[in-house]
Amino acid sequence: MGIIIGLVVALAAMLGGFVAMGGHLEVLVQPFEYVIILGTSLGTFIISNSAKTIKDTGKAMGEALKNKVPKQKDYLEVLGLLHNLMREMRSKSRSEVEAHIDDPKESTIFQAYPNIIKNTAMLSFICDYARLIIIGNARPHEIESLMEEEIQTIHHDLLKPKHALQDVTDGLPAIGIVAAVLGVIKAMGALDQPPEVLGHLIGAALVGTFAGIFFSYGVFGPIAAKVKYVREKQVRVFVIVKSTLIAYMNGAMPQVALEYGRKVISAADRPTIDQVENETIGGGSGA
């Protein structure tokens, strides 16, 4: 919704100001200039990215449009699951815990958190490191180093759509100039026409420069920034899991380990200690 509101405000200010200073909106209606600019940008986007990145960019733009960032309830679900899992690892045998992490979709612990089961990457991350913990041979600093490497890889992959959109953003002003040059070439072929006709053709050509700059800094640039914001918020959940499990490996009780994870949540979204206790001990969905 924020993206739509922002675009409406930007267009209203730009077009309203143009009309207020005496401009005519029909001059900006140059469909073939827009076809050249947007079509060329789409072509370069397809050339420079893999099919997987192209598909993920569409998904990332949808997430940005919906502002699909983790909410407080999502953090509470992750902390609740981790608490139950750590409690099992502390009190049950290895074989009993393995039954949960080997088939999490059939586990009574994981079934209480359907949103995490749907998040394949998060589910694998939690189960993989829980398995390493119960094996018992790895040291905490080794697991922490491995987690950091994987989180960096996840972060890199999740930001590929942002970089793809940023490349489009950077190229749009130049592509707008290409469209303008083509319009000028067309105008040069009409030098024998009356000044009003020639002026209209030159004005149409300049729309290409305007459109390229506007699409770059007014549309795709802000969308790329929003994609980055949303995806980095999603990566933060993995950091919560890392901090919690490493604290547990270093000897912290499950409820104390949760505090390590809670503290890496941004202040605006961070649940209180009481909320975490209600979720994990006092009868929350993960209790």
Side-chain angles (χ1 to χ4, degrees), residues 12-280:
M14 179 185 66
L15 298 178
F18 179 67
V19 171
M21 67 183 185
H24 300 283
L25 290 179
E26 62 270 15
V27 177
L28 301 178
V29 182
Q30 305 296 334
F32 293 112
E33 292 283 333
Y34 301 126
V35 168
I36 292 171
I37 294 168
L38 295 178
T40 303
S41 295
L42 177 60
T44 58
F45 171 74
I46 293 172
I47 291 170
S48 59
N49 294 286
S50 65
K52 183 177 180 180
T53 300
I54 292 171
K55 182 179 178 180
D56 194 32
T57 300
K59 178 182 176 182
M61 291 176 69
E63 292 173 353
L65 186 64
K66 299 175 183 176
N67 195 34
K68 198 173 180 180
V69 298
K71 305 295 192 299
Q72 190 178 90
K73 66 180 181 63
D74 299 311
Y75 296 129
L76 285 170
E77 284 191 7
V78 170
L79 293 174
L81 171 59
L82 291 175
H83 177 267
N84 284 348
L85 198 55
M86 290 185 295
R87 190 172 57 187
E88 287 287 307
M89 290 189 290
R90 188 176 182 86
S91 62
K92 300 293 179 63
S93 66
R94 173 176 168 177
S95 60
E96 289 176 299
V97 178
E98 282 183 334
H100 291 290
I101 60 179
D102 287 343
D103 191 6
K105 293 183 180 179
E106 298 299 324
S107 164
T108 54
I109 293 178
F110 286 89
Q111 284 176 351
Y113 305 94
N115 290 332
I116 297 177
I117 291 178
K118 293 175 184 177
N119 188 338
T120 305
M122 176 58 62
L123 187 65
S124 297
F125 189 83
I126 293 173
C127 291
D128 288 348
Y129 289 104
R131 185 176 292 106
L132 286 175
I133 291 172
I134 63 174
I135 289 174
N137 294 328
R139 299 173 182 175
H141 72 272
E142 294 173 340
I143 297 295
E144 183 174 14
S145 178
L146 183 59
M147 282 182 166
E148 288 175 353
E149 289 291 335
E150 183 170 357
I151 289 172
Q152 287 181 9
T153 301
I154 292 169
H155 183 262
H156 174 75
D157 289 341
L158 286 178
L159 286 188
K160 284 182 179 179
K162 183 269 177 185
H163 296 308
L165 288 171
Q166 190 61 51
D167 289 342
V168 172
T169 298
D170 294 340
L172 272 166
I175 294 174
I177 293 173
V178 170
V181 169
L182 291 174
V184 170
I185 292 173
K186 176 185 176 183
M188 291 300 99
L191 288 177
D192 58 339
Q193 299 297 315
E196 59 272 15
V197 175
L198 190 59
H200 177 78
L201 292 174
I202 294 174
L206 292 176
V207 169
T209 303
F210 147 76
I213 295 173
F214 173 72
F215 284 131
S216 175
Y217 297 105
V219 180
F220 289 99
I223 291 176
K226 190 61 179 285
V227 166
K228 180 182 179 182
Y229 167 78
V230 170
R231 286 294 175 89
E232 287 189 336
K233 280 280 192 178
Q234 294 173 359
V235 171
R236 201 66 191 163
V237 183
F238 291 89
V239 179
I240 295 169
V241 175
K242 183 202 81 170
S243 299
T244 303
L245 292 180
I246 294 301
Y248 174 76
M249 288 191 72
N250 282 317
M253 296 286 288
Q255 198 65 26
V256 176
L258 290 185
E259 187 64 10
Y260 284 78
R262 188 183 76 88
K263 281 297 186 180
V264 301
I265 302 172
S266 62
D269 301 316
R270 184 187 303 152
T272 65
I273 295 177
D274 290 340
Q275 287 175 308
V276 174
E277 288 182 349
N278 289 336
E279 178 70 17
T280 59

